[in-house]
Amino acid sequence: MKSIVILISGRGSNMESLLQAVADGALPVRVAAVLANRPDAKGLATATAAGVATRVVDHKLFASREAFDAALAAAIDSFSPDLVVLAGFMRILSDGFVGHFAGRLINIHPSLLPAFPGLHTHQRALDEGVRVHGCTVHFVTPALDHGPIIVQAAVPVVDGDDAARLAARVLAQEHRVYPLAVRWFAEGRLQLCDGKVVCAAPQDGGSALISPGGV
Ligand code: GRF
């Protein structure tokens, strides 16, 4: 069975959805550890309660991004994971770090990339007046919030939405697609072809999913 390490910075609801999927038997991976860059990340207690090992690599204790990234990579490598899952990990990662984990580092972003990379995605979507918003799971490349897309889920923007309501609608889809994407990886169904993800037979996506397999 493949193993994963999950990186968080705060609440950890996406991490929780992954742990729940594992507990439900819907996600055939071993969660080797949850790592956080903040000692006060709320998700650490959730992981501990689920019996998962946790580590903190506090970015404030390092003089440079490179030094922090080297310590983080060493902590991850100590668990020898097949896949590193960024789940609300709020640090920009150096090219060296991304290169070290190339092809086995994925992220979830709360927009339909390439629209709205960066922060405050829900407010920006409202400000632009888009009618469709959503989330994206992608392989990580050195460019921020960029990289081969594994799966996206779309939600409508409804009249009267504010950022919090829209965020909650998107988050519900995040909790649905991230375990799915990790499962596809675990089952060896994801392949990169000319910089794009090809996913073999994703039959189980559902109508809100826009996936490489054309669900
Ligand atoms: C999610 O919206 C995720 O897409 C973004 O940060 C948020 C993290 O939330 N990268 P949580 O910590 O998983 O609850």
Side-chain angles (χ1 to χ4, degrees):
M1 184 180 286
K2 292 210 162 90
S3 72
I4 68 172
V5 162
I6 305 173
L7 270 56
I8 64 170
S9 292
R11 176 178 60 181
S13 71
N14 275 291
M15 173 209 71
E16 199 172 353
S17 76
L18 292 163
L19 297 183
Q20 190 60 53
V22 172
D24 292 345
L27 180 55
V29 298
R30 189 175 69 83
V31 182
V34 169
L35 272 60
N37 66 308
R38 299 176 55 109
D40 60 350
K42 286 205 172 64
L44 288 170
T46 311
T48 300
V52 176
T54 62
R55 296 278 185 285
V56 174
V57 184
D58 186 346
H59 66 274
K60 291 191 180 133
L61 302 181
F62 295 85
S64 69
R65 185 178 303 284
E66 285 68 27
F68 167 71
D69 280 7
L72 182 63
I76 294 168
D77 283 344
S78 73
F79 294 99
S80 304
D82 297 290
L83 182 68
V84 180
V85 179
L86 304 180
F89 188 69
M90 304 300 284
R91 297 287 303 170
I92 292 174
L93 296 164
S94 61
D95 291 3
F97 181 97
V98 172
H100 181 73
F101 293 106
R104 54 192 184 105
L105 178 63
I106 65 174
N107 181 46
I108 189 160
H109 181 75
S111 78
L112 292 173
L113 292 173
F116 310 122
L119 298 174
H120 311 302
T121 56
H122 308 302
Q123 187 58 54
R124 287 159 62 205
L126 290 171
D127 292 346
E128 291 291 346
V130 301
R131 307 312 300 177
V132 179
H133 186 43
C135 59
T136 303
V137 180
H138 64 96
F139 282 104
V140 175
T141 59
L144 181 67
D145 295 329
H146 195 269
I149 291 171
I150 298 168
V151 63
Q152 295 182 301
V155 302
V157 179
V158 178
D159 288 345
D161 267 351
D162 59 17
R165 277 177 50 136
L166 187 53
R169 193 174 305 123
V170 171
L171 193 64
Q173 295 304 316
E174 294 186 40
H175 295 166
R176 186 174 167 213
V177 293
Y178 219 4
L180 194 61
V182 175
R183 176 148 70 85
W184 291 344
F185 181 92
E187 293 173 348
R189 287 156 69 174
L190 298 182
Q191 287 180 346
L192 276 172
C193 191
D194 292 335
K196 292 197 172 53
V197 175
V198 178
C199 181
Q203 301 293 341
D204 39 15
S207 61
L209 298 179
I210 305 161
S211 80
V215 180

